[in-house]
Amino acid sequence: MSTLRFKAISETFNRKPVEVNEPKRRSEIFGSNVFNEAAMRQYLTKTSYNSVMDAIENGAKIDRNIADHISTGMKEWAISKGATHYTHWFQPLTGSTAEKHDAFFETTGGGQAIEKFGGGQLVQQEPDASSFPNGGIRNTFEARGYTAWDPTSPAFIYGTTLCIPTVFVAYTGEALDNKTPLLRALQSVDQAATAVAKYFDKSVSKVNATLGWEQEYFLIDKALAASRPDLMLAGRTLLGHASAKGQQLDDHYFGSIPTRVLNYMRDLENECMLLGVPVKTRHNEVAPNQFELAPIFEEANLAVDHNSLLMDVMDKVADRHHFKVLFHEKPFAGINGSGKHNNWSLSTNTGVNLLSPGSTPMKNLQFLTFFINTIKAVHEYEELIRAAIASASNDHRLGANEAPPAIISVFIGSQLTAVLDELEKVTDGKLSPQEKTDLKLNVVGKIPEILLDNTDRNRTSPFAFTGNKFELRAVGSISNCAQPMTVLNAIVARQLMDFKEEVDKLIKGKKMKKDDAIFNVLREYIKESKNIRFEGDGYGEAWEKEAKKRGLSNNKTTPEALKAQVAKKNIKLYEDLEIMTKVEIEARHEIQVDEYAMRIQIEGRVLGDVARNHVIPTAIRYQNLLIENVQGLKSIYGNDFKKVAGEQMQLIESISDHIAHINQGITDMIEARKKANKIDNSEKRAFEYCNKVKPYFEEIRYHCDKLELLVDDEIWPLTKYRELLFTR
């Protein structure tokens, strides 16, 4: 095994940067492999084009006859681009994407063939759904599932395949994917936000949720990654002593990008341009061999699709450059993990960002309305947000090395806090002309200059306002953005509906003017949601105690956090908004707790295998060398040998002690796993794995890592942290 380690290191040292050919102007190739508006205008009839645009902009249904015309145009465009196959590209509840390729090719008899792709094949397919997670929605022998075309996310060509973004539902109609609930949530927030936006501008007819994700990741040479069974099977290192040099000097952050990595990024960005993924930013992150890329904001559904596509493309491009991409939130202990910050806002069809301050007090009242309602929504549903970012891998990241804690709070900065404090003092009832003038000029009217100079930033806040958007920082790097985006848009939709109902009641029942009604309702929301706002450091016992006083949840583990999914309040939220049924919600909960237990089970098996089959035999081998040395010294020095062999004998004893602890730990862990596996209830089994199996990991790791420091480096089998993090 040590031979494999040194061979991998040697292979890495001898790598040459892969040459990349870039276009002179990226704008020239952007979206050239996407069936976008320009392609549709060229390949579709006017009627077909208008039908697709009506579906995208207004949610109108596409007639099946029109679908035949669209499919013909799409096929001709795809073939002109070199495509030979098509697939319905969907996002099952595995967290990744799925596809089944079918050729355009069909025989016509007499030894002849044609390229065929009809409207039925575009609009709907029937993939075998038996092996996808379903949470008990249907029996596994009932394999039927349906994919249905989502025209709001354009088809694209990857390789030689036309990929058609679709939803994925069961034969009985329940959603089996991440896209369907997201689309429903986006429709809800559109309707709710449009209704409230009309208070300020009657011409608003649509509101889009926008998303800009920031994808963090590690890049490790694929030979080094292949030498670590834990990285390959679990996505993270289950053992390994910290490197003497890590991130403590902050010399990697925003530093010069290594040449091999830069070429990988350039190649990746070329692929993104072709696929219409508007990536714009790239840089080194804090930890060694950690990087980030970020796009321009897009409509949320399209942004989610693009992030899912990007992760697949990143893997494929990495292979060309002899890299392995690590999306796990915490692949290495003791240094920064990776997140996927979700920057969210609301934008009207009139081009206004509802979370951006304006040039007039009226525009700022609109900003405050959506700003305060979002804070109130997070306060009401903070446990549901925590559940949306919960996973076995993200548990390692939350609350460690600058990552947000498991306690959900909102950071808005000291200056906006002062604005809300002023608004909290608004008179109950109708405002006097003087009060209204003072409020608008001295508080609301000054918001733009406050934000212009507002440089507050809190890297530990899970949910922070950053000038014209909210940033959900707690999302894990491996996660599909759909789930947190479904939750965030759903809770804001619910909150805006409640807000409008209360304001209308004051206007109609109390005969208040619109501004008075809005100010009065916002004042109450500021008071009611004050506990969720936190400006301090999110680490340590002090904040945990304070959060408990405020009534905020602190669900540190995934099984704890996921319970919120099936709470009555949250089931009602989804059912009232028609985003998910109780059956769909419970199925998702069942899938996630099952997945949690399986991931811990896999990690336990890998750890036991590596510790017993790699670490212990190597330690014994080194111990035998020490024993030979001691015996040799004894033959030379006789009874006085202990004077010169004392250190060696102490090492022999230490190695035996660590081996004993590892063996016992693995034996106890296996027994705990057996006990957990006998539990039929998925949620109880997840808790058992969390509380009874997982704790053995650190104990076993501790002793393995101690052996790494004791055993001769020349025979240690596992590639070390210093090699994984600093070999480029």
Side-chain angles (χ1 to χ4, degrees):
M1 195 64 184
S2 61
T3 306
L4 176 60
R5 172 189 160 205
F6 289 115
K7 184 180 177 183
I9 294 168
S10 174
E11 204 172 320
T12 305
F13 277 137
N14 291 321
R15 300 274 194 218
K16 302 293 182 194
V18 175
E19 289 301 314
V20 178
N21 294 316
E22 286 185 289
K24 289 183 179 179
R25 291 175 181 266
R26 291 188 168 187
S27 58
E28 292 175 356
I29 65 166
F30 182 73
S32 58
N33 283 351
V34 179
F35 197 58
N36 52 25
E37 287 187 39
M40 285 193 287
R41 285 184 187 277
Q42 185 179 353
Y43 282 87
L44 299 184
T45 63
K46 187 176 181 180
T47 303
S48 299
Y49 171 80
N50 289 337
S51 181
V52 175
M53 295 309 295
D54 194 25
I56 293 170
E57 293 169 4
N58 305 310
K61 289 188 177 181
I62 295 174
D63 182 82
R64 188 55 71 98
N65 291 328
I66 296 292
D68 282 330
H69 292 292
I70 295 168
S71 63
T72 300
M74 193 182 288
K75 177 196 70 177
E76 291 305 314
W77 169 79
I79 290 173
S80 76
K81 292 281 185 179
T84 58
H85 289 68
Y86 65 92
T87 182
H88 275 201
W89 183 81
F90 58 101
Q91 300 170 45
L93 297 173
T94 57
S96 56
T97 59
E99 53 198 65
K100 181 188 76 168
H101 298 196
D102 284 302
F104 291 125
F105 170 86
E106 280 198 22
T107 56
T108 57
Q112 300 296 306
I114 58 169
E115 272 75 29
K116 186 178 177 184
F117 179 59
Q121 293 160 310
L122 166 64
V123 172
Q124 183 176 300
Q125 274 195 317
E126 189 182 326
D128 183 345
S130 61
S131 295
F132 289 113
N134 64 80
I137 284 178
R138 49 166 194 30
N139 295 315
T140 54
F141 59 79
E142 295 171 322
R144 294 174 76 180
Y146 294 100
T147 50
W149 177 34
D150 170 20
T152 64
S153 185
F156 57 90
I157 294 169
Y158 192 53
T160 58
T161 304
L162 170 67
C163 301
I164 303 157
T166 59
V167 298
F168 180 45
V169 296
Y171 173 66
T172 45
E174 289 92 353
L176 292 174
D177 66 344
N178 286 301
K179 181 187 271 279
T180 304
L182 174 64
L183 290 172
R184 293 169 182 165
L186 292 173
Q187 185 178 20
S188 293
V189 82
D190 170 20
Q191 293 169 352
T194 298
V196 173
K198 284 183 180 292
Y199 282 143
F200 309 97
D201 182 357
K202 298 288 185 187
S203 65
V204 173
S205 59
K206 185 173 180 59
V207 173
N208 280 323
T210 61
L211 168 63
W213 37 261
E214 301 168 26
Q215 181 70 60
E216 294 177 340
Y217 61 99
F218 283 84
L219 270 184
I220 305 298
D221 188 274
K222 68 180 182 182
L224 296 179
S227 71
R228 290 286 308 226
D230 48 359
L231 269 182
M232 298 305 290
L233 297 176
R236 74 179 181 104
T237 53
L238 297 170
L239 47 84
H241 198 279
S243 170
K245 180 181 185 292
Q247 65 185 48
Q248 60 267 53
L249 297 178
D250 294 324
D251 53 344
H252 184 66
Y253 190 50
F254 279 19
S256 176
I257 301 172
T259 305
R260 277 185 67 201
V261 174
L262 185 58
N263 280 19
Y264 162 75
M265 290 176 169
R266 290 166 57 206
D267 200 0
L268 173 63
E269 288 168 5
N270 285 347
E271 293 284 356
C272 287
M273 290 300 106
L274 293 169
L275 293 166
V277 183
V279 294
K280 186 175 176 68
T281 303
R282 65 190 184 201
H283 63 83
N284 290 1
E285 254 303 331
V286 176
N289 275 350
Q290 186 187 33
F291 307 94
E292 180 182 301
L293 71 108
I296 296 168
F297 280 50
E298 298 180 284
E299 185 275 325
N301 176 46
L302 182 57
V304 169
D305 279 1
H306 277 165
N307 182 251
S308 297
L309 173 60
L310 172 94
M311 292 171 75
D312 186 42
V313 175
M314 286 176 76
D315 273 333
K316 289 174 180 174
V317 175
D319 195 56
R320 289 205 293 261
H321 290 257
H322 309 290
F323 280 124
K324 170 76 175 171
V325 182
L326 302 181
F327 290 115
H328 193 288
E329 285 81 358
K330 200 77 170 176
F332 304 102
I335 60 173
N336 271 27
S338 298
K340 179 158 28 205
H341 306 164
N342 279 210
N343 294 278
W344 171 89
S345 193
L346 295 170
S347 180
T348 69
N349 63 303
T350 57
V352 174
N353 178 352
L354 294 172
L355 286 171
S356 183
S359 55
T360 66
M362 180 53 75
K363 287 179 180 176
N364 289 330
L365 182 55
Q366 176 178 267
F367 157 71
L368 284 169
T369 295
F370 287 91
F371 177 69
I372 292 166
N373 271 284
T374 301
I375 295 171
K376 178 74 159 52
V378 174
H379 178 261
E380 294 301 312
Y381 292 96
E382 46 95 5
E383 283 198 278
L384 190 56
I385 292 176
R386 171 66 182 93
I389 51 97
S391 69
S393 51
N394 208 20
D395 281 357
H396 294 284
R397 167 180 166 260
L398 295 177
N401 295 91
E402 290 194 352
I407 303 165
I408 300 298
S409 64
V410 178
F411 173 84
I412 62 172
S414 57
Q415 291 167 308
L416 277 173
T417 297
V419 170
L420 296 197
D421 289 344
E422 283 295 317
L423 289 173
E424 197 177 330
K425 300 171 188 173
V426 175
T427 304
D428 188 6
K430 295 179 181 179
L431 299 174
S432 69
Q434 182 62 41
E435 283 177 320
K436 190 174 287 189
T437 301
D438 288 346
L439 191 65
K440 285 191 173 180
L441 293 179
N442 298 330
V443 180
V444 179
K446 290 184 177 179
I447 288 173
E449 59 193 75
I450 286 173
L451 289 180
L452 189 68
D453 193 39
N454 186 2
T455 56
D456 287 350
R457 188 73 190 266
N458 188 333
R459 291 180 64 86
T460 66
S461 176
F463 196 76
F465 185 70
T466 55
N468 60 0
K469 61 190 183 298
F470 278 101
E471 183 178 20
L472 180 53
R473 299 178 54 84
V475 181
S477 54
I478 204 169
S479 300
N480 185 308
C481 297
Q483 193 170 357
M485 282 297 101
T486 298
V487 169
L488 184 54
N489 286 291
I491 66 175
V492 171
R494 176 74 272 164
Q495 181 54 48
L496 289 172
M497 289 175 187
D498 293 344
F499 171 77
K500 187 170 190 306
E501 188 178 323
E502 291 186 53
V503 170
D504 287 350
K505 195 180 291 183
L506 291 178
I507 292 171
K508 293 172 185 173
K510 301 278 187 178
K511 305 299 180 186
M512 275 192 193
K513 288 186 177 180
K514 181 181 68 179
D515 285 8
D516 291 340
I518 288 172
F519 276 126
N520 273 273
V521 175
L522 291 181
R523 181 200 60 184
E524 293 307 310
Y525 285 177
I526 291 168
K527 290 178 182 176
E528 291 167 10
S529 62
K530 205 167 185 177
N531 284 345
I532 200 73
R533 289 174 11 224
F534 178 62
E535 304 300 304
D537 190 335
Y539 297 127
E541 290 183 15
W543 169 227
E544 290 190 11
K545 288 179 182 176
E546 174 62 22
K548 191 174 182 181
K549 280 184 192 175
R550 296 184 183 197
L552 303 180
S553 65
N554 184 13
N555 297 320
K556 293 185 177 182
T557 68
T558 290
E560 286 179 89
L562 291 178
K563 290 177 79 172
Q565 288 181 323
V566 288
K568 286 183 181 178
K569 171 185 173 182
N570 298 328
I571 290 175
K572 186 177 187 307
L573 165 77
Y574 286 131
E575 289 190 322
D576 287 352
L577 297 178
E578 298 183 344
I579 291 171
M580 283 189 282
T581 64
K582 186 179 180 183
V583 170
E584 289 171 318
I585 296 162
E586 290 176 342
R588 277 162 168 72
H589 179 256
E590 179 88 4
I591 288 165
Q592 286 186 265
V593 292
D594 249 350
E595 182 190 348
Y596 178 87
M598 285 188 284
R599 289 198 179 277
I600 302 301
Q601 181 188 66
I602 290 167
E603 288 191 352
R605 287 174 171 172
V606 173
L607 180 58
D609 169 39
V610 173
R612 275 191 168 158
N613 293 309
H614 302 293
V615 173
I616 289 177
T618 304
I620 291 172
R621 182 179 163 195
Y622 182 61
Q623 192 180 47
N624 287 336
L625 291 174
L626 292 172
I627 291 168
E628 286 179 25
N629 178 260
V630 171
Q631 288 172 337
L633 290 172
K634 186 175 181 181
S635 68
I636 295 171
Y637 292 98
N639 293 334
D640 292 332
F641 81 99
K642 289 184 181 179
K643 292 178 183 178
V644 290
E647 292 296 326
Q648 293 92 316
M649 292 172 69
Q650 194 174 335
L651 269 174
I652 291 167
E653 287 182 20
S654 294
I655 290 170
S656 290
D657 183 60
H658 290 307
I659 288 172
H661 278 95
I662 293 168
N663 258 325
Q664 188 60 53
I666 293 170
T667 299
D668 292 344
M669 177 181 67
I670 291 170
E671 288 305 309
R673 281 210 314 266
K674 287 178 180 177
K675 186 178 176 184
N677 291 338
K678 291 177 182 176
I679 299 172
D680 290 330
N681 182 281
S682 296
E683 185 179 77
K684 289 179 180 178
R685 185 165 61 250
F687 271 103
E688 188 77 7
Y689 264 100
C690 179
N691 298 325
K692 299 295 175 67
V693 177
K694 191 180 168 189
Y696 286 108
F697 291 9
E698 282 306 308
E699 181 187 341
I700 295 165
R701 177 177 191 148
Y702 171 82
H703 292 285
C704 288
D705 290 355
K706 286 295 182 184
L707 285 175
E708 183 182 325
L709 291 179
L710 296 178
V711 171
D712 182 1
D713 182 67
E714 288 295 315
I715 64 171
W716 188 254
L718 300 169
T719 306
K720 297 187 175 183
Y721 266 33
R722 66 169 186 264
E723 295 151 356
L724 291 166
L725 295 172
F726 292 99
T727 308
R728 292 166 186 163

